[in-house]
Amino acid sequence: MSTINTSYRSQATTSTQESSTLSPTEAKSAWQNVLNQSLDSDAKLKGRTIYLGEQRIERYTQKVSADMEKFIQENPNATPEQIAQHASDRISKHKGYETVSKMTDDYFMSRMMARAKELMADLWE
């Protein structure tokens, strides 16, 4: 994690001469747009088995928001492109974690239901 921050920090310091510092609202909108696009794609999946669910989406949204606030504080001279790239990386990381968590839960539930069916079949024999 620190290597990622360091690389962005070095990129941000080299581009300081090229661009001015973004205001906090401009910086937030730079990463918020990327997050909104991800949330829009999640909303299209509602009702399908690959849908993460409201709690998981809220959890990864909060994690991304916290990571991005920290990134902007550490890199005040980051360009909108750097902020968007970092937001995309953070979204992929946290969304991937929540996806694996959902897959684990779904697998556990399917195994539990299969075992319950076995026990019910044995009960009636």
PDB file of all heavy atoms in Angstrom, residues 58-72:
ATOM      1  N   GLU A  58     -22.552  -1.022   0.079  1.00  0.00           N
ATOM      2  CA  GLU A  58     -22.332   0.071   1.034  1.00  0.00           C
ATOM      3  C   GLU A  58     -20.975  -0.063   1.720  1.00  0.00           C
ATOM      4  O   GLU A  58     -20.256   0.912   1.897  1.00  0.00           O
ATOM      5  CB  GLU A  58     -23.454   0.088   2.083  1.00  0.00           C
ATOM      6  CG  GLU A  58     -23.337   1.214   3.083  1.00  0.00           C
ATOM      7  CD  GLU A  58     -23.465   2.602   2.465  1.00  0.00           C
ATOM      8  OE1 GLU A  58     -24.156   2.744   1.445  1.00  0.00           O
ATOM      9  OE2 GLU A  58     -22.848   3.540   3.012  1.00  0.00           O
ATOM     10  N   ARG A  59     -20.602  -1.299   2.057  1.00  0.00           N
ATOM     11  CA  ARG A  59     -19.320  -1.534   2.734  1.00  0.00           C
ATOM     12  C   ARG A  59     -18.144  -1.163   1.832  1.00  0.00           C
ATOM     13  O   ARG A  59     -17.222  -0.469   2.248  1.00  0.00           O
ATOM     14  CB  ARG A  59     -19.245  -2.992   3.180  1.00  0.00           C
ATOM     15  CG  ARG A  59     -18.104  -3.275   4.107  1.00  0.00           C
ATOM     16  CD  ARG A  59     -18.181  -4.634   4.791  1.00  0.00           C
ATOM     17  NE  ARG A  59     -18.727  -5.698   3.972  1.00  0.00           N
ATOM     18  CZ  ARG A  59     -19.708  -6.531   4.374  1.00  0.00           C
ATOM     19  NH1 ARG A  59     -20.220  -6.411   5.570  1.00  0.00           N
ATOM     20  NH2 ARG A  59     -20.139  -7.483   3.573  1.00  0.00           N
ATOM     21  N   TYR A  60     -18.180  -1.603   0.555  1.00  0.00           N
ATOM     22  CA  TYR A  60     -17.038  -1.258  -0.294  1.00  0.00           C
ATOM     23  C   TYR A  60     -17.051   0.222  -0.666  1.00  0.00           C
ATOM     24  O   TYR A  60     -15.989   0.828  -0.848  1.00  0.00           O
ATOM     25  CB  TYR A  60     -16.899  -2.205  -1.488  1.00  0.00           C
ATOM     26  CG  TYR A  60     -17.578  -1.857  -2.796  1.00  0.00           C
ATOM     27  CD1 TYR A  60     -17.069  -0.872  -3.621  1.00  0.00           C
ATOM     28  CD2 TYR A  60     -18.684  -2.561  -3.239  1.00  0.00           C
ATOM     29  CE1 TYR A  60     -17.655  -0.582  -4.833  1.00  0.00           C
ATOM     30  CE2 TYR A  60     -19.276  -2.286  -4.450  1.00  0.00           C
ATOM     31  CZ  TYR A  60     -18.759  -1.294  -5.241  1.00  0.00           C
ATOM     32  OH  TYR A  60     -19.344  -1.012  -6.447  1.00  0.00           O
ATOM     33  N   THR A  61     -18.215   0.840  -0.737  1.00  0.00           N
ATOM     34  CA  THR A  61     -18.287   2.277  -0.987  1.00  0.00           C
ATOM     35  C   THR A  61     -17.644   3.065   0.146  1.00  0.00           C
ATOM     36  O   THR A  61     -16.887   4.008  -0.093  1.00  0.00           O
ATOM     37  CB  THR A  61     -19.756   2.714  -1.165  1.00  0.00           C
ATOM     38  OG1 THR A  61     -20.310   1.984  -2.256  1.00  0.00           O
ATOM     39  CG2 THR A  61     -19.868   4.188  -1.462  1.00  0.00           C
ATOM     40  N   GLN A  62     -17.918   2.674   1.375  1.00  0.00           N
ATOM     41  CA  GLN A  62     -17.318   3.346   2.526  1.00  0.00           C
ATOM     42  C   GLN A  62     -15.807   3.165   2.548  1.00  0.00           C
ATOM     43  O   GLN A  62     -15.058   4.109   2.842  1.00  0.00           O
ATOM     44  CB  GLN A  62     -17.922   2.823   3.827  1.00  0.00           C
ATOM     45  CG  GLN A  62     -19.346   3.241   4.042  1.00  0.00           C
ATOM     46  CD  GLN A  62     -19.981   2.573   5.251  1.00  0.00           C
ATOM     47  OE1 GLN A  62     -19.408   1.680   5.854  1.00  0.00           O
ATOM     48  NE2 GLN A  62     -21.183   3.022   5.590  1.00  0.00           N
ATOM     49  N   LYS A  63     -15.341   1.961   2.223  1.00  0.00           N
ATOM     50  CA  LYS A  63     -13.895   1.701   2.207  1.00  0.00           C
ATOM     51  C   LYS A  63     -13.202   2.524   1.122  1.00  0.00           C
ATOM     52  O   LYS A  63     -12.125   3.086   1.353  1.00  0.00           O
ATOM     53  CB  LYS A  63     -13.623   0.214   2.002  1.00  0.00           C
ATOM     54  CG  LYS A  63     -13.990  -0.634   3.196  1.00  0.00           C
ATOM     55  CD  LYS A  63     -13.756  -2.102   2.908  1.00  0.00           C
ATOM     56  CE  LYS A  63     -14.186  -2.973   4.057  1.00  0.00           C
ATOM     57  NZ  LYS A  63     -13.980  -4.398   3.754  1.00  0.00           N
ATOM     58  N   VAL A  64     -13.813   2.596  -0.048  1.00  0.00           N
ATOM     59  CA  VAL A  64     -13.237   3.386  -1.145  1.00  0.00           C
ATOM     60  C   VAL A  64     -13.205   4.861  -0.761  1.00  0.00           C
ATOM     61  O   VAL A  64     -12.198   5.550  -0.975  1.00  0.00           O
ATOM     62  CB  VAL A  64     -14.017   3.168  -2.463  1.00  0.00           C
ATOM     63  CG1 VAL A  64     -13.614   4.191  -3.519  1.00  0.00           C
ATOM     64  CG2 VAL A  64     -13.803   1.757  -2.979  1.00  0.00           C
ATOM     65  N   SER A  65     -14.277   5.352  -0.170  1.00  0.00           N
ATOM     66  CA  SER A  65     -14.332   6.758   0.237  1.00  0.00           C
ATOM     67  C   SER A  65     -13.234   7.077   1.241  1.00  0.00           C
ATOM     68  O   SER A  65     -12.549   8.099   1.116  1.00  0.00           O
ATOM     69  CB  SER A  65     -15.700   7.086   0.843  1.00  0.00           C
ATOM     70  OG  SER A  65     -16.706   6.941  -0.117  1.00  0.00           O
ATOM     71  N   ALA A  66     -13.045   6.202   2.225  1.00  0.00           N
ATOM     72  CA  ALA A  66     -11.995   6.418   3.231  1.00  0.00           C
ATOM     73  C   ALA A  66     -10.608   6.397   2.585  1.00  0.00           C
ATOM     74  O   ALA A  66      -9.763   7.252   2.881  1.00  0.00           O
ATOM     75  CB  ALA A  66     -12.091   5.366   4.326  1.00  0.00           C
ATOM     76  N   ASP A  67     -10.377   5.434   1.692  1.00  0.00           N
ATOM     77  CA  ASP A  67      -9.081   5.354   1.004  1.00  0.00           C
ATOM     78  C   ASP A  67      -8.816   6.600   0.165  1.00  0.00           C
ATOM     79  O   ASP A  67      -7.699   7.118   0.136  1.00  0.00           O
ATOM     80  CB  ASP A  67      -9.023   4.130   0.089  1.00  0.00           C
ATOM     81  CG  ASP A  67      -8.790   2.835   0.837  1.00  0.00           C
ATOM     82  OD1 ASP A  67      -8.587   2.879   2.064  1.00  0.00           O
ATOM     83  OD2 ASP A  67      -8.815   1.772   0.178  1.00  0.00           O
ATOM     84  N   MET A  68      -9.838   7.082  -0.514  1.00  0.00           N
ATOM     85  CA  MET A  68      -9.651   8.235  -1.381  1.00  0.00           C
ATOM     86  C   MET A  68      -9.448   9.521  -0.593  1.00  0.00           C
ATOM     87  O   MET A  68      -8.650  10.370  -0.998  1.00  0.00           O
ATOM     88  CB  MET A  68     -10.819   8.373  -2.360  1.00  0.00           C
ATOM     89  CG  MET A  68     -10.869   7.260  -3.392  1.00  0.00           C
ATOM     90  SD  MET A  68      -9.298   6.976  -4.248  1.00  0.00           S
ATOM     91  CE  MET A  68      -9.025   8.553  -5.010  1.00  0.00           C
ATOM     92  N   GLU A  69     -10.131   9.672   0.519  1.00  0.00           N
ATOM     93  CA  GLU A  69      -9.901  10.849   1.368  1.00  0.00           C
ATOM     94  C   GLU A  69      -8.455  10.856   1.859  1.00  0.00           C
ATOM     95  O   GLU A  69      -7.796  11.895   1.864  1.00  0.00           O
ATOM     96  CB  GLU A  69     -10.877  10.868   2.549  1.00  0.00           C
ATOM     97  CG  GLU A  69     -12.327  11.073   2.153  1.00  0.00           C
ATOM     98  CD  GLU A  69     -12.592  12.415   1.494  1.00  0.00           C
ATOM     99  OE1 GLU A  69     -11.896  13.399   1.792  1.00  0.00           O
ATOM    100  OE2 GLU A  69     -13.516  12.470   0.658  1.00  0.00           O
ATOM    101  N   LYS A  70      -7.978   9.690   2.252  1.00  0.00           N
ATOM    102  CA  LYS A  70      -6.590   9.575   2.716  1.00  0.00           C
ATOM    103  C   LYS A  70      -5.613   9.881   1.569  1.00  0.00           C
ATOM    104  O   LYS A  70      -4.629  10.599   1.758  1.00  0.00           O
ATOM    105  CB  LYS A  70      -6.338   8.166   3.254  1.00  0.00           C
ATOM    106  CG  LYS A  70      -4.954   7.959   3.805  1.00  0.00           C
ATOM    107  CD  LYS A  70      -4.784   6.560   4.345  1.00  0.00           C
ATOM    108  CE  LYS A  70      -3.370   6.346   4.814  1.00  0.00           C
ATOM    109  NZ  LYS A  70      -3.137   4.958   5.240  1.00  0.00           N
ATOM    110  N   PHE A  71      -5.904   9.361   0.383  1.00  0.00           N
ATOM    111  CA  PHE A  71      -5.033   9.597  -0.771  1.00  0.00           C
ATOM    112  C   PHE A  71      -4.953  11.087  -1.107  1.00  0.00           C
ATOM    113  O   PHE A  71      -3.883  11.611  -1.375  1.00  0.00           O
ATOM    114  CB  PHE A  71      -5.545   8.810  -1.988  1.00  0.00           C
ATOM    115  CG  PHE A  71      -4.791   9.090  -3.250  1.00  0.00           C
ATOM    116  CD1 PHE A  71      -3.544   8.536  -3.464  1.00  0.00           C
ATOM    117  CD2 PHE A  71      -5.319   9.916  -4.231  1.00  0.00           C
ATOM    118  CE1 PHE A  71      -2.837   8.794  -4.628  1.00  0.00           C
ATOM    119  CE2 PHE A  71      -4.621  10.184  -5.397  1.00  0.00           C
ATOM    120  CZ  PHE A  71      -3.375   9.612  -5.590  1.00  0.00           C
ATOM    121  N   ILE A  72      -6.094  11.756  -1.079  1.00  0.00           N
ATOM    122  CA  ILE A  72      -6.119  13.181  -1.416  1.00  0.00           C
ATOM    123  C   ILE A  72      -5.366  14.001  -0.374  1.00  0.00           C
ATOM    124  O   ILE A  72      -4.663  14.957  -0.712  1.00  0.00           O
ATOM    125  CB  ILE A  72      -7.571  13.664  -1.594  1.00  0.00           C
ATOM    126  CG1 ILE A  72      -8.131  13.052  -2.888  1.00  0.00           C
ATOM    127  CG2 ILE A  72      -7.656  15.178  -1.643  1.00  0.00           C
ATOM    128  CD1 ILE A  72      -9.601  13.262  -3.097  1.00  0.00           C
TER     129      ILE A  72
END
